[in-house]
Amino acid sequence: MITARQSRAARALLGWNQETLADKAQVSLTALKRLESINGLEVYESTRDQVRRVLERHGIVFLTSDQGEGVMLVRAKITSSTS
């Protein structure tokens, strides 16, 4: 499950605003704002799932441990061909 903090942190790592993420995840801006609310507003699990999937497709890895949760941005390794 993606938390509000993880969603906000992932957007920051990607340099996206809420409008960009909502558009890419194909969810309403209102739904995304609810998901990212510090007040813990309810949101459909399908909305959380769509947001999580689009962030993962763009290199975000969600981290969870007994000490808390976080996010990490993983970039694809670029290889150059040298002959």
Side-chain angles (χ1 to χ4, degrees):
M1 181 169 108
I2 181 176
T3 67
R5 283 183 175 176
Q6 285 175 312
S7 181
R8 291 191 307 266
R11 276 194 307 101
L13 285 171
L14 293 170
W16 293 356
N17 58 27
Q18 286 182 320
E19 291 82 5
T20 301
L21 178 52
D23 183 57
K24 289 183 181 289
Q26 298 181 332
V27 299
S28 72
L29 182 56
T30 301
L32 181 63
K33 287 183 178 187
R34 290 179 66 83
L35 186 152
E36 291 189 349
S37 169
I38 60 172
N39 298 327
L41 300 175
E42 290 190 30
V43 64
Y44 289 115
E45 194 58 39
S46 60
T47 299
R48 286 185 194 279
D49 194 47
Q50 284 175 249
V51 170
R52 179 189 53 78
R53 279 187 272 142
V54 78
L55 291 169
E56 288 176 338
R57 278 197 306 270
H58 284 86
I60 296 294
V61 175
F62 293 94
L63 309 169
T64 304
S65 75
D66 58 345
Q67 296 177 343
E69 64 274 332
V71 294
M72 173 175 69
L73 178 60
V74 178
R75 298 266 184 212
K77 190 182 246 185
I78 300 173
T79 59
S80 60
S81 55
T82 54
S83 304

